Amino acid sequence: MSRICVYLGSREGSRPIFRQAAQALGTALAERGHTLVYGGARIGLMGELANAALEAGGSVIGVMPDHLVEREQAHFGLTELIRVANMHERKATMAANADAFIAMPGGIGTFEELFEIWTWGYLGLHEKPMGLLNIDDFYGPLLTFLDSTVANGFLAQTTRDMLQDAQTAQALLSALDIRL
């Protein structure tokens, strides 16, 4: 099956719904036979996602730069933990090992990864599907802003349409599966 790269927070966020969504996505990935590719941490939403996928019998590949192994508390119980030299290599390795991309709630690192992979798609460096798991409308303001960039002529509708969104793991995976 496919390898799905998930960008998400190394923190749990302020509401249990984010943790529950990470667990649901990890379980759904494993049940559908997909391999999870993610940042390799055992803490926050990242750890919840990986543990759920592993508990459901899935394969999990983590990618983490050496300088973050201690800081982000690397998950050493994964199917595979790839250690890389820096953040640039981390993102490139995650992208090379993925057939699709999902962004869950997260902070600045999640946003940076999402926008970089979307830009790579726009530039034709990949044709892999991308989506936002819009838990409890976390990404609603961003989606409104993106639609505004289209309305104001700064973003083509075809580029906006590259980034799918759904409110549940099952719905988003179904949308991405259509394109895999």
Side-chain angles (χ1 to χ4, degrees):
M1 292 301 285
S2 300
R3 292 179 174 196
I4 311 294
C5 178
V6 180
Y7 305 124
L8 71 168
S10 60
R11 297 180 182 189
E12 283 195 20
S14 60
R15 294 182 290 148
I17 193 168
F18 299 129
R19 179 179 40 78
Q20 295 161 357
Q23 293 167 344
L25 178 58
T27 300
L29 287 169
E31 288 175 349
R32 289 174 177 243
H34 297 306
T35 296
L36 166 63
V37 178
Y38 84 116
R42 65 178 170 88
I43 59 173
L45 293 183
M46 294 172 75
E48 296 289 341
L49 175 72
N51 288 337
L54 291 166
E55 288 170 13
S59 295
V60 180
I61 299 171
V63 182
M64 187 174 282
D66 290 323
H67 77 280
L68 290 181
V69 168
E70 291 301 320
R71 180 177 169 190
E72 288 194 354
Q73 301 181 24
H75 194 314
F76 293 107
L78 305 176
T79 308
E80 181 179 6
L81 178 64
I82 302 171
R83 293 178 68 158
V84 295
N86 55 54
M87 293 299 286
H88 296 292
E89 192 176 338
R90 179 192 214 181
K91 292 183 292 183
T93 300
M94 290 170 71
N97 279 283
D99 300 306
F101 304 91
I102 292 174
M104 283 194 61
I108 192 168
T110 302
F111 304 147
E112 189 267 339
E113 291 166 327
L114 167 65
F115 278 97
E116 183 168 56
I117 205 64
W118 189 17
T119 301
W120 290 2
Y122 167 74
L123 295 174
L125 300 176
H126 73 81
E127 293 183 6
K128 301 172 184 179
M130 299 167 280
L132 296 174
L133 188 48
N134 191 19
I135 302 304
D136 202 29
D137 205 35
F138 178 84
Y139 282 112
L142 175 63
L143 294 169
T144 298
F145 172 73
L146 295 175
D147 291 339
S148 176
T149 63
V150 172
N152 284 288
F154 290 100
L155 185 67
Q157 185 65 53
T158 55
T159 304
R160 168 64 184 88
D161 292 343
M162 292 170 67
L163 189 60
Q164 301 176 59
D165 66 276
Q167 295 183 358
T168 67
Q170 291 293 349
L172 186 56
L173 288 173
S174 292
L176 295 177
D177 279 346
I178 292 169
R179 297 187 55 207
L180 293 176

